[in-house]
């Protein structure tokens, strides 16, 4: 009997590369919930996130022979999910193009004590409320750690547009955090 705890991730990968369906199912079950969270950051709703997840895992299994065991396997899957989600989004939605700006700077900072009080779920909910272009750029830059050059290539926009969208997303999030904190703690705003 093929039990999940019988195999380490390396053995599971080896069995997946050999085309064993049960191993693929186990690998999927091991990473699906975490990767759904990644996809959800780029999706408009849960159903779309699930579609992105399915497309992403198809690519994971297609590209698995190329995985050389260097670095984190979860990180490798995450990168595929991000790329697959952006590809899905670009195919099914129009990306919002923002006019380039010279520099996306001069931003005032949010009170660190206010953001410390903000629950992670609240922040993720605020990010999901951003328009798609802002949300994608914000996620790629602030959460996934991509550079503006990489974002521009992935999203099909210029580096200046990436900087502009990030700046605007931060500004919108800052305003929303202040409003949310004001409501939570009875401040005017």
């Amino acid at each position: 009997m093929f039990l999940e705890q019988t195999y380490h991730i390396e053995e599971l990968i080896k069995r997946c590369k050999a085309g064993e369906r049960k191993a693929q199912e186990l690998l999927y079950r091991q990473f699906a919930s975490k990767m759904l969270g990644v996809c959800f950051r780029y999706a408009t709703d849960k159903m779309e996130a699930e579609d992105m997840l399915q497309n992403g895992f198809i690519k994971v299994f297609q590209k698995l022979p190329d995985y050389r065991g260097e670095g984190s396997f979860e990180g490798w899957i995450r990168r595929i999910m991000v790329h697959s989600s952006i590809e899905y989004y670009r195919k099914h939605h129009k990306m919002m193009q923002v006019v380039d700006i010279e520099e996306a700077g001069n931003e005032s900072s949010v009170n660190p004590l206010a953001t410390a009080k903000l629950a992670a779920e609240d922040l993720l909910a605020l990010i999901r409320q951003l328009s798609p272009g802002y949300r994608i750029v914000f996620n790629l830059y602030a959460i996934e750690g991509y550079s503006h050059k990489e974002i521009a290539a992935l999203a099909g926009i210029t580096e200046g547009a990436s900087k502009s969208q990030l700046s605007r997303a931060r500004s919108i999030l800052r305003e929303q955090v202040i409003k949310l904190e004001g409501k939570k703690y009875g401040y005017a705003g």
Side-chain angles (χ1 to χ4, degrees), residues 148-166:
H148 287 293
K149 184 176 183 176
E150 292 169 317
I151 294 168
L154 266 174
I157 59 176
T158 65
E159 285 184 60
S162 175
K163 291 175 183 179
S164 175
Q165 289 184 18
L166 177 65

Side-chain angles (χ1 to χ4, degrees), residues 4-5 9 24 44 46-47 76 78 90-92 100 105-106 124 133 135-137 143 152 163 169 176 182:
E4 190 169 352
Q5 52 271 42
I9 191 69
Q24 290 173 342
T44 55
K46 188 173 189 233
M47 198 163 110
W76 183 81
R78 174 185 289 273
R90 287 180 71 192
K91 184 177 179 181
H92 293 89
D100 292 1
N106 300 330
L124 289 174
R135 184 177 68 241
I136 288 171
V137 170
I143 297 174
K163 291 175 183 179
Q176 294 302 321

Side-chain angles (χ1 to χ4, degrees), residues 40-41 110 114-115 118-132 134-135 138-139 143 169-181 183-184:
F40 196 56
R41 289 198 306 264
V110 174
T115 55
L118 189 65
E121 307 85 51
D122 293 335
L123 186 55
L124 289 174
L126 292 177
I127 292 168
R128 279 194 294 275
Q129 292 174 15
L130 290 170
S131 69
Y134 295 157
R135 184 177 68 241
F138 183 84
N139 281 324
I143 297 174
R170 284 178 171 167
S171 178
I172 292 167
L173 288 172
R174 182 180 309 107
E175 292 169 13
Q176 294 302 321
V177 165
I178 290 168
K179 283 181 189 174
L180 184 63
E181 289 299 319
K183 287 178 186 175
K184 273 187 167 179

